[in-house]
Amino acid sequence: MSRFKAVIFDLDGVITDTAHYHYLAWKRLAESQGVHFDHAFNENLKGIDRMGSLDLILASSKRAYTAEEKLALADEKNRHYQELIATMSSADLLPGAVRALDVVRAAGLRIGLASVSKNAFTVLGRLGITDKFDYVVDAATIARGKPDPEIFLKAARELGVAAEDCLGVEDAVAGVASIKAAGMFALGIGHPFVLTQADVVITSLNDFNLESY
Ligand code: G6P
Ligand code: MG
């Protein structure tokens, strides 16, 4: 039996590799503003919400932007992104993702999704896994993005489970920080040298199980 009562998953980079689509959309936007954008910079944006990401990108621009201009640029990036995710399907699920969700379900634990992406419902629908979750946080209702614990705490509250009984699953440094700040056990997906705050790090959900932690 697991010592947890709920597992709360991040979406991008954990269940599906939308990071590449975010990369392509941000690159197109950044280059339209004369800002260099590469994979290394994209790493800094993992788990960071849309406006926060835009601010990081525009920090290396020569000009200043008004709040209105920033909103227009964020909308433009989102249009590029939505074009890219429109063709997603269950083929875009990362290896082990469905198995992990099924393992948690079979163990009788609650399942939540805590993504700061305002496109999370669309992506889940394209992947065909919406009904595998008991609760999906609506990012539009979250005031503070990761690394703030707000989103994981909201998921736990809505699932009716105490934070200390939750296992959070994340691929981003900011996301792991959010889980730890919420007082949960953090399972990192990626590399232990990067996700230094995680309690345990595995390479992918292929290695997920509930017995080891
Ligand atoms: C996730 C991704 C970020 C992205 C954020 C907001 O956290 O890891 O790269 O910026 O969601 O996504 P959105 O779809 O709302 O622009
Ligand atoms: Mg992520």
Side-chain angles (χ1 to χ4, degrees):
M1 222 185 99
S2 172
R3 69 177 165 108
F4 300 107
K5 294 187 177 142
V7 181
I8 303 171
F9 292 87
D10 172 46
L11 177 65
D12 299 309
V14 170
I15 287 175
T16 182
D17 189 17
T18 41
H20 184 62
Y21 298 130
H22 280 295
Y23 165 77
L24 292 173
W26 278 128
K27 188 172 172 65
R28 190 166 159 194
L29 193 275
E31 288 175 353
S32 78
Q33 298 305 301
V35 173
H36 173 73
F37 190 81
D38 56 20
H39 281 288
F41 195 86
N42 192 53
E43 284 302 303
N44 304 326
L45 306 183
K46 285 190 177 170
I48 307 295
D49 65 21
R50 199 181 306 161
M51 292 311 287
S53 300
L54 181 67
D55 282 338
L56 290 172
I57 290 169
L58 295 182
S60 38
S61 166
K62 288 183 194 71
R63 55 165 289 209
Y65 292 83
T66 64
E68 220 174 33
E69 286 173 322
K70 282 191 195 175
L71 280 178
L73 290 175
D75 277 353
E76 194 179 323
K77 182 268 174 175
N78 195 44
R79 280 195 299 277
H80 299 330
Y81 182 66
Q82 286 179 333
E83 256 173 50
L84 293 165
I85 62 171
T87 57
M88 281 179 82
S89 70
S90 55
D92 291 280
L93 283 158
L94 280 170
V98 169
R99 191 194 61 87
L101 291 166
D102 292 344
V103 162
V104 180
R105 177 63 69 216
L109 277 58
R110 308 272 284 154
I111 307 179
L113 189 93
S115 168
V116 297
S117 172
K118 298 196 169 74
N119 294 293
F121 290 103
T122 307
V123 172
L124 287 181
R126 302 273 349 153
L127 296 172
I129 55 167
T130 309
D131 57 7
K132 290 193 180 283
F133 294 87
D134 296 306
Y135 179 72
V136 175
V137 178
D138 178 355
T141 65
I142 296 300
R144 294 171 304 280
K146 299 168 188 177
D148 190 280
E150 181 181 356
I151 190 163
F152 279 95
L153 289 174
K154 175 156 190 185
R157 194 166 60 244
E158 295 289 338
L159 290 169
V161 175
E164 64 263 30
D165 294 329
C166 294
L167 169 69
V169 190
E170 260 290 351
D171 68 310
V173 173
V176 169
S178 171
I179 294 172
K180 291 317 296 173
M184 300 177 182
F185 187 93
L187 175 63
I189 307 289
H191 204 290
F193 290 159
V194 178
L195 303 176
T196 52
Q197 248 197 299
D199 295 294
V200 174
V201 180
I202 57 175
T203 310
S204 82
L205 284 179
N206 263 336
D207 300 327
F208 180 87
N209 68 74
L210 282 169
E211 290 83 50
S212 310
Y213 343 111

